[in-house]
Amino acid sequence: FFIKLVNATSYINLIPKSASINVNSLITLDVNASIVQDDLYGYEFEINYDSSKLSLAGINNITEGNFLSQSGTFKTHFNVKSAGGGLIVVYSSRNGSVLGAKGSGTLARIQFLSAATGTSLVKITKVKFVNSTINNQSVREIIPVLTDNSTVTISTGSLPCTITSAIWNQTLVNENNYVEARVTGSNCDGKQIN
């Protein structure tokens, strides 16, 4: 198996580039790619993050984007491995003798749960993009890739007021009369409810 480098440069990045969330909140990061002057047949990359600040919301919360499959037009083999300790490995390829995807789009969507206050850099590392060129059934060309990471800042913040029930003492009221209402909820102390 031989590898040949291609001169065209492509890009992979995380969206949003930066985000601020509260503890115990979910955040979704999209891994996007832009392929310049080539096609993308397959890829592999690692996601590194601070596992004391973020935790993977579940292995099933890493889903394939629509770029490589072109929204289901092409069959792909998508796989994810969580190595623990803030490391995720993601890889996918098209199946069969077909051309790769061109342009830009989402490769994967990853959902994290914020675990503690602070800041976590979420990095894309060890990226391998492969095009569909086959010279002698054993040569694929590797596409050079530039990466851009994301920063997630987690704060204690205030949790939203969630009303769980409301009871009125009257169902029909004339103008200028008052109605007694009893409202219950969570995180609503001292908050005005309209």
Side-chain angles (χ1 to χ4, degrees), residues 144-193:
V145 181
L146 297 175
T147 63
D148 197 8
N149 302 311
S150 181
T151 303
V152 178
T153 303
I154 305 149
S155 62
T156 53
S158 62
L159 297 173
C161 168
T162 305
I163 297 173
T164 55
S165 69
I167 300 171
W168 286 262
N169 69 344
Q170 306 226 358
T171 56
L172 182 62
V173 178
N174 292 327
E175 189 175 347
N176 295 326
N177 288 340
Y178 292 95
V179 175
E180 181 183 324
R182 184 172 295 150
V183 178
T184 58
S186 58
N187 305 310
C188 296
D189 292 345
K191 295 182 181 174
Q192 182 175 342
I193 301 170

Side-chain angles (χ1 to χ4, degrees), residues 54-123:
L54 295 172
S55 65
L56 186 58
I59 199 74
N60 293 330
N61 290 15
I62 303 173
T63 55
E64 182 175 19
N66 61 8
F67 181 58
L68 203 58
S69 71
Q70 297 294 290
S71 300
T73 303
F74 295 93
K75 291 184 180 186
T76 60
H77 175 73
F78 179 77
N79 207 337
V80 176
K81 180 173 63 172
S82 175
L87 176 64
I88 304 165
V89 181
V90 180
Y91 49 96
S92 185
S93 70
R94 284 188 169 179
N95 295 337
S97 296
V98 296
L99 293 176
K102 293 186 177 188
S104 58
T106 302
L107 298 178
R109 179 166 281 167
I110 304 171
Q111 197 168 53
F112 292 100
L113 177 65
S114 56
T117 59
T119 300
S120 174
L121 179 64
V122 182
K123 298 188 306 185

